[in-house]
Amino acid sequence: GFVFQKSYDLVNGRIGWTAPSETYGLAVFVKNATKEKYAQYGFGQALGDAFAQAPPRTYGVEASVKF
C-alpha cells in the first residue's frame, strides 16, 4: 500500500498566569482548536494501509505549585 496524507494546519493555544512570588500558577490550554482530522502515524502493509487518528480537540486547566 501507499500511505499519503494531505497537508494540514493545527491551532494550539495556552495562556497562563504566575503569581509574583512564582510559587503558584494557573493556565488554560487548547490543542487542535479547529478539530482538524489527521493521521498521527501510518504505514503500509501487505493487506492494506494502517493508521492511527490523532486526538480530537482537547482542552483543560493546569495549576502549578512550586515548593
Side-chain angles (χ1 to χ4, degrees), residues 1-5 39 41-52:
F2 181 73
V3 178
F4 176 78
Q5 178 170 247
Y41 64 87
F43 53 91
Q45 304 183 108
L47 299 176
D49 298 335
F51 70 94

Side-chain angles (χ1 to χ4, degrees), residues 4-51:
F4 176 78
Q5 178 170 247
K6 293 193 288 185
S7 64
Y8 58 90
D9 294 315
L10 291 179
V11 178
N12 300 324
R14 184 179 189 280
I15 188 166
W17 169 83
T18 303
S21 66
E22 297 186 5
T23 305
Y24 302 101
L26 191 64
V28 294
F29 67 89
V30 63
K31 295 181 180 180
N32 195 7
T34 58
K35 298 189 208 177
E36 187 72 35
K37 291 184 179 180
Y38 65 99
Q40 194 166 15
Y41 64 87
F43 53 91
Q45 304 183 108
L47 299 176
D49 298 335
F51 70 94

